[in-house]
Amino acid sequence: AEQAGEKEPCVLLGQQLGELGRFAYAALCGVSLAWLFPENEQSSFRTEFIEGFVKWLDLPDTVLPAMTAFAGGLGGEGTESFTEILLKDPILEENPAVITQDLLSFSLRDGYYDARARVLICHISLLLRIPLEELEVLEESLLESLKEQKEEESETTEVSRKKKERRKKLKRYLLIGLATVGGGTVIGLTGGLAAPLVAAGAATIIGSAGAAALGSTAGIAVMASLFGAAGAGLTGYKMKKRVGAIEEFEFLPLTEGKQLHITIAITGWLCAGKYGSFTAPWSSMLQSSEQYCLAWESKYLMELGNALDSLLNGFVNMMAQEALKFTVLSGIVTALTWPASLLTVASVIDNPWGVCLHRSAEVGKHLAHIMLSRQQGKRPVTLIGFSLGARVIYFCLQEMAQEKDSQGIIEDVILLGAPVEGEAKHWKALTKVVSGRIINGYCRGDWLLSFVYRTSSVQLNVAGLQPVDLDDRRMVNMDLSSVVS
């Protein structure tokens, strides 16, 4: 602010803590970074974050070596002590969400909301027993403030702004109003080849104090960086020409408005009736307030869906169901144990399934390059998909892992009934790309997934049928057998 020749608009929230509180705050962030992102390739992120944060809190330079050591993996046993010290600071007595507010301000200061920063904010909030719904409210409040500033800038002030930007480097300060949140969010999920039931519950905003202003210049700069210069986001993307074998690739908005983090849902197959559109399975999804659905290769997904319908409705008679009960569901799954009545109609599914397996991998690779090009702006992205949609995500992450600058884009991924390799060694690369969690929703008794995948893997080592045994805090396996019929 001094470099800009302007008066600082406010004292940053974190700087209002006592010296002991600020030390504990920085230390807690340091040890959390080391636990969340211990890999060597994450060391530069940890170091840059903690160095900037020490300055943000106006701590003396003499504490920097200690904070760097915390971020490097030392002092993790002090997490509970640092948490207790921080919660005893008078500033946090009435509302500890001040910390969530301050971390969000710091993370957005340069107009880049790194997915790793958001994961850290969620982690610190949980340690301080702050409901994660408050982060959602703070993000919405900040965004509304930035929008208002952008709309208010007149033509005259725009000229003035551009002149200022040429001769001065501004520091940006955020002060976000607090809000109270009631209610909660519950997401119910099913897996396998069944379309997911993503429903139940809603977060209710009881009140919001609104956001205090960023300077107009900084507000517009942050908006342009977060959402991209064009501001169109994913809906502005059109596949200008055919990419390889891909014939259809388009993002459809599921909700209106903008948010500081987004969700992209990917449907696994289409069929006549209720699930005849890409958006139908996601009508009640409560994951971010800015959601998109990827429309891809509808002709082939519809052909697959119709084949599945034919198998289920026309060919699987009562005798076959009884046979399955004693063969597939008993865990003795080999080509020899499948009922003859199923094997005789296998060609109905095998061809469209094989085509869609190939195309889903190609679509995933193309999605990776869309994410890497920041078409979505500089915001965290959560990906969720079922069946072949989960396969799209898997290959998207595999492709991203091979590219530079792939970190800090993807926050969480949710894969339901994923028809992909289930061995842990194939999933290790994904941890480089995903900042938050990799949720593998599987169902051991999903006989239909077993059947269509039977020729691809003799041992049926498929992620959608079993947990992925990967020793990493990101990997979360969820057995959905009780909710999948």
Side-chain angles (χ1 to χ4, degrees), residues 28-44:
L28 188 60
C29 287
V31 297
S32 295
L33 283 169
W35 182 77
L36 291 168
F37 310 108
E39 298 83 7
N40 290 333
E41 58 264 27
Q42 300 282 4
S43 61
S44 60

Side-chain angles (χ1 to χ4, degrees), residues 408-452:
I409 298 173
I410 306 299
E411 182 177 356
D412 295 317
V413 297
I414 304 169
L415 309 176
L416 307 173
V420 297
E421 175 60 59
E423 287 191 22
K425 64 181 181 180
H426 298 287
W427 289 68
K428 184 61 181 175
L430 276 58
T431 62
K432 174 185 174 182
V433 179
V434 180
S435 302
R437 297 174 299 167
I438 304 170
I439 300 175
N440 176 44
Y442 67 94
C443 175
R444 295 184 186 276
D446 191 340
W447 68 268
L448 186 53
L449 179 56
S450 299
F451 181 70
V452 296

Side-chain angles (χ1 to χ4, degrees), residues 192-355:
L193 290 173
L197 170 66
V198 187
T204 306
I205 300 175
I206 294 177
S208 175
L214 248 182
S216 178
T217 305
I220 292 168
V222 169
M223 283 285 282
S225 179
L226 287 171
F227 296 95
L234 293 176
T235 53
Y237 173 80
K238 299 289 183 184
M239 193 171 69
K240 296 177 181 178
K241 59 181 180 179
R242 184 164 169 165
V243 179
I246 303 172
E247 298 175 14
E248 182 182 5
F249 189 104
E250 182 182 0
F251 294 99
L252 308 175
L254 292 172
T255 58
E256 296 181 0
K258 297 289 184 181
Q259 179 56 292
L260 292 178
H261 65 104
I262 69 173
T263 296
I264 300 174
I266 308 179
T267 300
W269 48 265
L270 302 171
C271 65
K274 184 177 180 181
Y275 296 112
S277 71
F278 285 102
T279 59
W282 314 105
S283 58
S284 300
M285 183 170 62
L286 295 176
Q287 174 72 36
S288 171
S289 59
E290 184 178 347
Q291 305 168 2
Y292 300 89
C293 180
L294 178 62
W296 62 286
E297 307 297 74
S298 57
K299 179 174 70 175
Y300 303 99
L301 294 180
M302 183 65 76
E303 183 181 349
L304 174 63
N306 290 336
L308 292 171
D309 266 355
S310 297
L311 178 68
L312 290 171
N313 299 329
F315 296 101
V316 182
N317 54 33
M318 183 62 70
M319 290 180 64
Q321 290 284 10
E322 288 299 313
L324 286 172
K325 192 177 297 183
F326 293 105
T327 56
V328 182
L329 301 186
S330 68
I332 309 172
V333 186
T334 69
L336 297 177
T337 62
W338 288 103
S341 56
L342 276 179
L343 295 176
T344 56
V345 298
S347 60
V348 174
I349 281 186
D350 287 349
N351 185 57
W353 175 252
V355 170

